[in-house]
Amino acid sequence: MKKILIAILLVFALITFSFPDSALAAGNPKNGKAVFNANCNSCHMGGKNVVKQDKTLKKSDLQKYGMYSDKAIIEQVTNGKAPMPYFRGRLNAQQIEDVAAYVLDQADKW
C-alpha cells in the first residue's frame, strides 16, 4: 500500500512539474484573442513584431528572450518595456492574463 501511494505521488509530481508555466496559464485564450486583436494586433499581427523584427511572438523567440511563460508575458503587457507601451490601466488583470494565454496558445502556430 505504501509503495502504491508513493508511486501515485511520484506520478502526480512528474505531471505537475513537467509542464512549463505556459501550460498552466490562468487566462482564457479565446477571450485573449479578442483583446489581442483590439490592442496588440497593430504591432504583432500574425505573431510578428513591426518595431523589433527579431523579437516575434513565435515560441522559439519567446524562449530565446525568456518570455515563454504567462508570468513573463503578463509582466511585459502590464508594465511595458521600451518601445512597447504598458497596458496597466487600459486592460484589467483578467484581460492581460487572457492575452498571455492567447499568445502562448498561438506561439507554436505563428
Side-chain angles (χ1 to χ4, degrees):
M1 181 69 176
K2 187 175 182 180
K3 287 182 181 182
I4 293 172
L5 182 58
I6 291 171
I8 291 171
L9 290 173
L10 182 60
V11 169
F12 177 76
L14 286 172
I15 291 170
T16 301
F17 296 109
S18 294
F19 293 103
D21 288 343
S22 60
L24 304 173
N28 181 327
K30 288 181 182 177
N31 294 341
K33 180 179 181 179
V35 177
F36 182 93
N37 287 338
N39 295 277
C40 313
N41 211 35
S42 60
C43 292
H44 295 290
M45 184 181 296
K48 294 182 171 93
N49 186 329
V50 299
V51 179
K52 290 195 172 204
Q53 294 177 358
D54 60 324
K55 292 190 174 184
T56 72
L57 301 180
K58 293 179 182 177
K59 182 178 180 179
S60 60
D61 286 338
L62 291 174
Q63 289 174 324
K64 179 179 178 180
Y65 296 107
M67 296 298 295
Y68 190 66
S69 73
D70 58 332
K71 182 178 178 182
I73 295 169
I74 288 168
E75 173 73 20
Q76 178 85 11
V77 174
T78 302
N79 298 312
K81 184 176 180 183
M84 183 173 158
Y86 64 88
F87 287 85
R88 180 182 44 254
R90 288 191 264 178
L91 300 176
N92 64 40
Q94 186 61 57
Q95 289 172 311
I96 293 172
E97 287 180 19
D98 291 347
V99 165
Y102 174 70
V103 168
L104 291 170
D105 183 63
Q106 294 298 302
D108 278 330
K109 301 168 189 166
W110 280 323

